[in-house]
Structures are given as structure tokens and as C-alpha cells.
Amino acid sequence: QVQLVESGGGSVQAGGALRLSCAASASTYCMGWFRQGAGTKREWLSYVTSTGTTRHVGFLEGRFTASRENAENTLYLQMDSLKPEDTAMYYCAADDGSMCSASSDQYTYWGQGTQVTVSS
């Protein structure tokens, strides 16, 4: 069992930045970020493999950047130029499988989430 603990959420004004962290209790091949706004489906944002392959969803337009520190089993999400529509609960997820994907069904382990609120 792998525990994931997110941190770094908070309230910011539009145009601001936040950096989320996800500390894992053990190493896994795939770590990803998802978010879920009020009344919306959980959506994939990015993933990073333990070998450094990184993917981001297209609609982020380069505003968010995921990275990973394998030595510390930690995943990061740098979020810049935040917009009110980025307001959501942000979740870290991980899986030991040999492939990463954008599907939440693939991920075995989930954190409790960290809230991000962006005001206009």
C-alpha cells in the first residue's frame, strides 16, 4: 500500500501561482495529477514516470508543469497564470503498472486532495 499526501493548495487571485507537492510513501512507476471542480468529472492533468517521461493535457496551454524528484518519491505541479476556472480539488495518484495513462481507472493509489481556489 502506498500513501500519498498532497500539500500546497490554497487561495490565490487570478494570475497568481501555486506549487503543489505529493509525497509518496514508496516509489511507483507512474505518478499523476487530476482535479475535480464542483459538479464536474475528475479530469487528468499530467503524469510523470519514474524514468522521466512527462505528459500534460493540452488545454493547460503550458500554464502547469509537472515534475518529479525520485530520490524523495515526490511529485510536483507548478501552476502559473491561474484562472478562476482552475478552482478545484487537486489529487495526486500513483500506480505500479508498466504504463502511465490519462485514465483515472488505471491508478491504484490516491491522495486525499488539496483545494485550490482562484478568485477573480
Side-chain angles (χ1 to χ4, degrees):
Q1 189 78 6
V2 177
Q3 276 78 47
L4 303 174
V5 179
E6 303 98 333
S7 61
S11 297
V12 296
Q13 290 194 322
L18 285 172
R19 189 190 195 207
L20 306 184
S21 298
C22 172
S25 59
S27 177
T28 59
Y29 176 71
C30 185
M31 295 185 76
W33 288 105
F34 291 77
R35 72 182 183 187
Q36 187 168 16
T40 66
K41 291 171 56 177
R42 188 168 297 188
E43 58 184 0
W44 170 74
L45 301 177
S46 65
Y47 66 68
V48 186
T49 70
S50 59
T51 54
T53 299
T54 305
R55 297 287 184 269
H56 297 88
V57 68
F59 68 73
L60 291 177
E61 301 173 323
R63 296 186 298 117
F64 293 6
T65 304
S67 61
R68 180 168 174 169
E69 178 55 63
N70 287 332
E72 298 180 353
N73 294 331
T74 301
L75 180 72
Y76 300 99
L77 185 66
Q78 178 65 42
M79 306 188 296
D80 298 319
S81 303
L82 283 161
K83 303 176 181 180
E85 51 264 43
D86 294 319
T87 295
M89 186 71 79
Y90 284 69
Y91 296 92
C92 174
D95 192 77
D96 283 326
S98 59
M99 292 181 64
C100 275
S101 81
S103 172
S104 60
D105 291 341
Q106 183 216 320
Y107 292 82
T108 304
Y109 309 108
W110 290 85
Q112 293 300 305
T114 185
Q115 177 69 37
V116 172
T117 302
V118 185
S119 58
S120 57

